[in-house]
Amino acid sequence: MAMASNKTLCFKCNKEKITFPCRGCSQEFCFTDLAEHQQILNDELNDIINDYDQFRQRINEQKQNPQNHSLIEQINQWEISSIEKIQQKAQDCRKSLIKYSQRSIKDIEMKFKDLSEQMKEIHSENEFNEIDLNYLTNQLRKITEELNKPSSIFIKEGSQSFIYEISVISSKKSKFNKWKQNAITVAGGNGQGLNQLNSPEGIFIDKNKNIFIADYSNHRIVEWKYNGKEGQIIAGGNEKGNRMDQLNWPTDVIVDEQNHLIIIADRDNRRVIQWLNENQQILIENINCRGLSMDKYGYIYVSDYKKNEVRRWKMGEYNNEGTVVAGGNGKGNQLNQLNDPRFIFVDEDQSIYVSDNNNHRVMRWRKDAREGMIVAGGNGQGENLNQLSYPAGVIVDDFGQTYVADFANDRIMRWCEGKEEGEVVVGESGVANKSNQLYCPCGLSFDEEGNLYVVDGANCRIEKFEIIL
């Protein structure tokens, strides 16, 4: 700072004195105030030096402990989430591979059986030559190669960087199955007698393609053997009543094939009852039951159409109240509510699919979820492709696609996850009893070959729509 030649006003004390300019703020200060001003500047400099020292310390700390970076936690969360997704995807692919592999083995078994029959026939007739022997050898070689390395199953890897998504693709079975539009009547559709049904509702197909039917208005359960001409009463059939040997408007039936048990939703008797030959046992009492299902672990699921909920019981532990697994929050159309739940389906992961009748939608509740999500309908009652009208039976295929008996629209619809609307798979428009028409369809089921069975309620028959391979 330079000496001033003339007296001027000091910026601080506002008196005329010999002043000295400050280059920083361009103000004039007397000697005393200039010293004070410089002290203030020194203090500010010390504060800045302090800040610099603290910043240097933070740099050293981060150099010595790089794991303490503020974004490390975000990266850690990303890592955990990514690993969980990869593990889940791998588990899903394992399940898919096992399913496709078992299906492929069944196909090979059928081919081998046919080949064995041909070989037995050739051998018994004792009329064969080199051409026959070459044919048998070549066919055996082909199915051996198919067993060792099935060409219909392969792994497809995605092209995304870092995390490569994989999925199992089967070229043998299309994701979007189709069925012949003209059905075969496999039960009912006749006059009076054991080959007659009266407003059937629920259905169960066992591994031998035997059909178990909740014959609602006849108050009985009827079994139709595969390709049978008439049914056999296996429960009820003693008029409507509440005795142990009677049923009162049964709505659904499931079969525990391992233990040879018939389990029935005996609606107006407000009970779930078990039949084993001529012996009956009440499993669950005081329940407004409508739909039934059983998962692979032996848990029983029952829909209660008055309490608007689905409950689950472990096999053999029916003396408790069960566990609410869907609904249970009063009647309504919120995602945690149901309104007159009917049919139910439980998949491999114990997710529950419910036909939410009066809400005109199908809901899926994942295991332990507090609310469901809409997988079909949910756009009000109607006949558009994004609507349902009093949905009934519901089933889900191996690809997670939902099939719904659209009761009042006389059609069966398929809904793919993420799509805003469904598609009609069977059921031509018009109420009639032709082979391509339905009248108030109720229960649904697939057999092991993928044929689609529909309870054609008002036509009092069971229709089989054969899959197109």
Side-chain angles (χ1 to χ4, degrees), residues 30-237:
C30 66
F31 183 81
T32 302
D33 289 335
L34 179 62
E36 184 179 346
H37 181 64
Q38 287 179 327
Q39 184 60 46
I40 291 173
L41 294 178
N42 284 333
D43 291 342
E44 289 180 358
L45 176 61
N46 289 332
D47 288 340
I48 293 173
I49 291 172
N50 260 346
D51 290 340
Y52 268 70
D53 290 339
Q54 290 178 15
F55 185 79
R56 183 181 292 107
Q57 185 177 352
R58 288 180 60 192
I59 290 175
N60 291 334
E61 286 176 355
Q62 290 204 12
K63 285 173 64 178
Q64 294 171 7
N65 301 290
Q67 295 299 319
N68 291 338
H69 194 283
S70 60
L71 294 180
I72 288 292
E73 182 58 28
Q74 184 176 339
I75 295 172
N76 291 343
Q77 290 301 318
W78 170 86
E79 178 185 26
I80 292 170
S81 177
S82 298
I83 290 172
E84 287 176 352
K85 289 178 181 178
I86 292 170
Q87 289 175 333
Q88 184 60 53
K89 187 65 178 179
Q91 184 63 16
D92 291 343
C93 286
R94 291 187 194 99
K95 290 180 180 179
S96 297
L97 181 59
I98 290 170
K99 287 180 183 178
Y100 296 146
S101 178
Q102 292 300 312
R103 195 174 293 143
S104 178
I105 289 173
K106 286 183 180 179
D107 290 343
I108 294 170
E109 274 186 322
M110 292 179 65
K111 292 178 182 178
F112 181 72
K113 184 178 179 181
D114 291 340
L115 187 61
S116 298
E117 293 297 326
Q118 294 178 47
M119 186 174 64
K120 288 178 182 178
E121 184 178 349
I122 291 172
H123 188 269
S124 63
E125 291 177 354
N126 202 26
E127 292 183 1
F128 55 90
N129 53 37
E130 289 84 351
I131 296 175
D132 297 318
L133 297 178
N134 287 335
Y135 169 79
L136 293 173
T137 301
N138 287 333
Q139 291 301 309
L140 181 60
R141 178 182 55 78
K142 287 180 180 179
I143 62 175
T144 300
E145 291 175 354
E146 190 174 349
L147 179 63
N148 293 336
K149 190 176 181 180
S151 60
S152 61
I153 305 173
F154 57 95
I155 297 294
K156 178 183 177 182
E157 292 191 7
S159 57
Q160 296 180 356
S161 61
F162 187 68
I163 298 175
Y164 293 96
E165 181 178 343
I166 64 169
S167 57
V168 177
I169 307 297
S170 172
S171 62
K172 199 168 188 81
K173 183 179 175 68
S174 171
K175 182 174 181 179
F176 299 100
N177 291 331
K178 294 184 178 180
W179 293 266
K180 295 179 180 179
Q181 294 301 298
N182 291 310
I184 302 169
T185 300
V186 292
N190 302 295
Q192 296 182 351
L194 287 176
N195 59 355
Q196 183 192 34
L197 300 172
N198 193 353
S199 300
E201 286 212 8
I203 187 175
F204 184 94
I205 311 292
D206 71 11
K207 61 184 179 182
N208 297 317
K209 299 183 187 177
N210 300 317
I211 308 169
F212 298 81
I213 308 161
D215 197 4
Y216 179 77
S217 294
N218 280 328
H219 313 288
R220 65 189 184 185
I221 304 299
V222 180
E223 178 185 7
W224 286 63
K225 297 291 186 182
Y226 180 57
N227 288 334
K229 300 300 181 183
E230 64 179 25
Q232 174 187 357
I233 300 173
I234 58 172

Side-chain angles (χ1 to χ4, degrees), residues 386-402:
N386 68 341
Q387 294 178 305
L388 297 171
S389 184
Y390 300 104
V394 55
I395 51 177
V396 181
D397 67 14
D398 293 339
F399 301 102
Q401 298 167 138
T402 306

Side-chain angles (χ1 to χ4, degrees), residues 265-372:
D266 193 7
R267 194 192 75 173
D268 279 21
N269 280 327
R270 300 185 66 244
R271 65 189 183 187
V272 175
I273 190 168
Q274 169 186 293
W275 286 59
L276 176 59
N277 298 324
E278 297 298 322
N279 300 315
Q280 303 89 32
Q281 177 187 355
I282 297 175
L283 301 182
I284 306 167
E285 295 181 285
N286 302 317
I287 183 169
N288 300 293
C289 51
R290 193 67 191 244
L292 292 176
S293 188
M294 178 186 290
D295 68 22
K296 63 182 181 181
Y297 303 105
Y299 285 91
I300 300 287
Y301 298 74
V302 187
S303 62
D304 188 320
Y305 65 96
K306 287 192 176 179
K307 289 186 177 180
N308 298 294
E309 64 185 20
V310 177
R311 285 182 180 264
R312 179 182 67 201
W313 281 265
K314 189 174 182 180
M315 181 75 76
E317 297 182 2
Y318 303 111
N319 56 346
N320 57 39
E321 295 181 354
T323 303
V324 176
V325 292
N329 296 296
K331 180 191 297 185
N333 61 4
Q334 300 300 310
L335 292 180
N336 67 343
Q337 294 178 307
L338 298 170
N339 188 353
D340 189 17
R342 298 288 181 95
F343 290 82
I344 50 181
F345 178 90
V346 183
D347 69 13
E348 292 286 315
D349 299 319
Q350 293 181 296
S351 293
I352 302 105
Y353 294 76
V354 188
S355 56
D356 195 8
N357 191 258
N358 286 342
N359 281 327
H360 311 290
R361 67 188 185 184
V362 175
M363 301 290 292
R364 180 180 69 194
W365 290 63
R366 295 190 184 277
K367 184 181 178 183
D368 300 327
R370 294 186 177 181
E371 65 178 25

